[in-house]
Structures are given as C-alpha cells and as structure tokens.
Amino acid sequence: MDTLFRVWETQETVSSVQNKEKTVAGKRQDYINWDEYFMGVAHLSGMRSKDPNTQVGACIVSKDNKILSMGYNGFPVGCSDEEFPWEREGEDLETKYPYVTHSELNAILNYRGGSLEDTTLYVSLFPCNECAKAIIQAGIKRVIYDSDKYNNTPMNRAAKRMFTAAGVEYIPYSRSGRSILIQV
C-alpha cells in the first residue's frame, strides 16, 4: 500500500507539472501592459468628473506597480456640484476655474499612506503649472501624460521648466491603438 501511494503521488506530481507547463505555455498573449492599465485607470477616473467640458483623471503608482491613489477634476469635498458654476467663460467667480481641483492634486490629496517619493503619475492631460508644483513637492519623479492639449502655452512651458529643474521626467504616453471596452 505504501508503494501504491508513492506511485500515485508521483503520477499526481508529474500531472501537476504538465498542467502548469500547459498553463504557462498557453497563457493569454493579449493582456494589457502596465502603461495601458494605469493610463486606462486614469481615464476611467476622469469619467467621474462632472465637468461638462473636460474630464481629466490621474493615477499614482509605486515602483512595484501598485496603485496608490487616483483623482479626477472636480470641486472640493463639501462644495456642491449643483451650487458652483461649471461655465468656462464669464466673470471670474461665475466660472469653474477658481473652484475646481485638478485630478493630479486630488490624487495627491487623496493619498493617505505616507510618502509619494519616487512614484509615477499617469494623467490624461499634461499637468498645469500649479499641479506641477504639487507633483514636485510630493516627490513624484515621473509623469506619464496622454494629451498635451495646451502645449507651448505659458503655463505649460512653466510646468515643463519646473519639472526639468526638479528632475521630474515627463513622458508622453505611447498609445497602443487598442480599444478597451468596459460594460457596466
């Protein structure tokens, strides 16, 4: 009986190893890479924004590919989406600009785990100069951005100048051309 058990155990081990080999050799090849994943999370976060014109999302990631925080552009907690303006033009206090918190700043402020030193920020729109200051102060070392819609504007140039001076890499996201459909 002892011999029969050893033969069975050996056959089970061989079978297990063969199944693992099949799994490794036959794994999916079309899974998304880390950049696609994190930029996808940033874009998905942006979809939470109530802003009728611009939905921006951000995702902060550790060196070991763990999501630390996310954010999107919107009003501060306690400031009702119904009571504050979403307008782009008009008197200063009748537009969204003095009230909206950008996605990057929201992601930084949403983090409760300690230091963001040496992390990467994925963001759907290149950060403004004000967000660049917060990114630098938080210790974020890489910014991967999808759109640079405001390229070469004074605030955009200021953000890039500060990033360069502070040693923060800013890298355009390289789109793979794949579409990801999420049904909810």
Side-chain angles (χ1 to χ4, degrees), residues 1-8:
M1 182 128 175
D2 193 47
T3 306
L4 178 62
F5 179 75
R6 282 195 199 115
V7 169
W8 177 81

Side-chain angles (χ1 to χ4, degrees), residues 31-43:
Y31 57 90
I32 60 176
N33 66 39
W34 287 119
D35 282 345
E36 290 170 320
Y37 177 59
F38 298 131
M39 189 57 75
V41 168
H43 278 284

Side-chain angles (χ1 to χ4, degrees), residues 162-178:
M162 287 187 286
F163 281 157
T164 299
V168 175
E169 290 180 86
Y170 51 95
I171 305 158
Y173 174 65
S174 181
R175 287 181 171 234
S176 65
R178 287 204 286 186

Side-chain angles (χ1 to χ4, degrees), residues 10 31 36 38 52 57 63-65 136 146 158-159 178:
T10 304
Y31 57 90
E36 290 170 320
F38 298 131
K63 279 194 226 181
D64 59 345
N65 294 320
I136 292 165
D146 191 16
R178 287 204 286 186

Side-chain angles (χ1 to χ4, degrees), residues 84-155:
F84 284 83
W86 286 109
E87 302 302 318
R88 295 174 75 167
E89 295 177 11
E91 296 294 318
D92 285 344
L93 295 180
E94 298 306 314
T95 69
K96 65 183 177 177
Y97 300 110
Y99 308 109
V100 168
T101 304
H102 289 180
S103 66
E104 305 92 324
L105 185 57
N106 265 329
I108 290 167
L109 296 173
N110 287 340
Y111 185 59
R112 301 284 188 246
S115 175
L116 291 173
E117 201 69 38
D118 205 22
T119 57
T120 300
L121 172 80
Y122 286 80
V123 63
S124 56
L125 180 64
F126 193 90
C128 72
N129 62 308
E130 293 298 321
C131 287
K133 294 174 198 177
I135 290 164
I136 292 165
Q137 290 298 94
I140 296 168
K141 291 298 179 193
R142 279 161 306 288
V143 174
I144 299 176
Y145 62 93
D146 191 16
S147 170
D148 197 1
K149 177 168 123 176
Y150 300 106
N151 186 32
N152 243 357
T153 62
M155 300 311 160

